[in-house]
Amino acid sequence: MIEVHADTFKLAQVFTISRGSRTAAEVLTVKVTRNGVTGWGECVPYARYDETLQSVTDQINSLPVDIDRAALQSALPAGAARNAVDCALWDLEAKIKGLRVWDLIGVAAPKPEITAYTLSLDTPENMRAQAAKNAARPLLKIKLGTPDDMPRLEAVRAGAPDTPIIIDANEGWSAEVYSELAPHLIRLGVKLVEQPLPAGADDMLGEIDRPLPVCADEACHDRASLPKLVGKYDMVNIKLDKTGGLTEALALNAAARKAGFKVMVGCMVGSSLAMAPATIVAQGAEFTDLDGPLLLAEDRETPLLFDAAGVHAPAAPLWG
């Protein structure tokens, strides 16, 4: 049996990116039950990819109830629906066999990974206050992506003068804006910029020097994305809601490394259940951004542990 239902998790504060704001995380929770054992998965439908709660629910409900993980890869395209079911099937298999998912994969148990903490797009004054409040965190991620970002970036650096910073423009800059900003990003010690230009309109990145590493986010979904990224990006952001689950995320990680890309592992804004499988992919990643649960006012009953060492592997009652 495959069941899917919508869940809403309130955010601790309004979260804004260049495409809009939200006050809650709207997710879909999937249960796959066989012989009295249940596996769990979560996905976040994303309007950027023409996904809605209803369209993703319909995709999941179209699946045969006895589908296995291998058949799932061709039954649904890469995206949120396949992600939730794929992760639920991994969880189910681990529970049936009395193992953890990393044992099934054949890798070591995940160790804690330092994760970025995201500051949402706001006025320079508010972003400086956010930065100062979170200056003790090991890595800050700044949401930008407007023509007027320089004052915001200067404000964040003033609020957190010594904290490593990465930038996510969410496709919000033009080639001209990025060219103007790039020297200042380097001057202010930014370590990485994600998706400065719109996916599909990013050829300029292959024509310029990139002293600041550029990471493909919206331009990278699964292994099929990689050939178009060569020469334009230095890193890829692996998100399970884009890859369509843990199965493809692991394959993309290996393929990206082989192709010479560095790796970031990221997330949509979801609960600990959505982040749990990604902690496996994040092992050894150059950057980890699995802070979704830190942005919530409420989380799953058995949440992931976040502490000074980073985000830890999930406890068995949560997933895997």
Side-chain angles (χ1 to χ4, degrees), residues 3 30-40 88 91-92 95:
E3 301 173 81
V30 167
K31 296 169 54 180
V32 180
T33 304
R34 293 172 187 167
N35 299 319
V37 181
T38 297
W40 296 84
D91 188 37
L92 178 69
K95 287 176 176 173

